[in-house]
Amino acid sequence: MSNKSASSGSGHYALCLKEFKTAAFSTMAYILACCFICYILGYGKDASEVKIIAGIPEWALYGVIIPWIVMVIFTAVYGFFIMKGDDE
């Protein structure tokens, strides 16, 4: 195996490891935020206390839908503008 091939393999591994760490951190932050918001807004409340916004319970809107939309936007921006490929 040539040195060029070996160095490109380790570079590819480092690139994949960096992207894996970013994905793992953002996914962990997303899950923790969703669980925390849903717990604060929805757990232990009577059905009469839960606010309904556009037909969706407040805890579901702020704890599931909004964070999901934010993560989709973050993923698209990261994938299109920040993440580097093997070419660079």
Side-chain angles (χ1 to χ4, degrees):
M1 184 187 263
S2 69
N3 286 339
K4 183 178 179 184
S5 174
S7 66
S8 68
S10 64
H12 181 70
Y13 175 77
L15 180 67
C16 289
L17 184 62
K18 176 184 170 266
E19 303 308 339
F20 173 77
K21 288 178 183 179
T22 303
F25 177 76
S26 61
T27 301
M28 182 176 52
Y30 168 74
I31 291 171
L32 289 174
C34 287
C35 290
F36 181 73
I37 292 169
C38 289
Y39 177 78
I40 295 297
L41 295 177
Y43 187 72
K45 291 187 177 181
D46 292 329
S48 61
E49 295 178 14
V50 176
K51 294 179 185 174
I52 304 295
I53 302 170
I56 302 170
E58 178 185 42
W59 65 268
L61 180 67
Y62 294 128
V64 178
I65 296 171
I66 303 270
W68 178 71
I69 292 170
V70 169
M71 280 303 292
V72 167
I73 292 169
F74 169 76
T75 302
V77 169
Y78 187 81
F80 287 126
F81 301 111
I82 299 171
M83 188 168 69
K84 304 294 182 197
D86 287 339
D87 302 341
E88 299 171 19

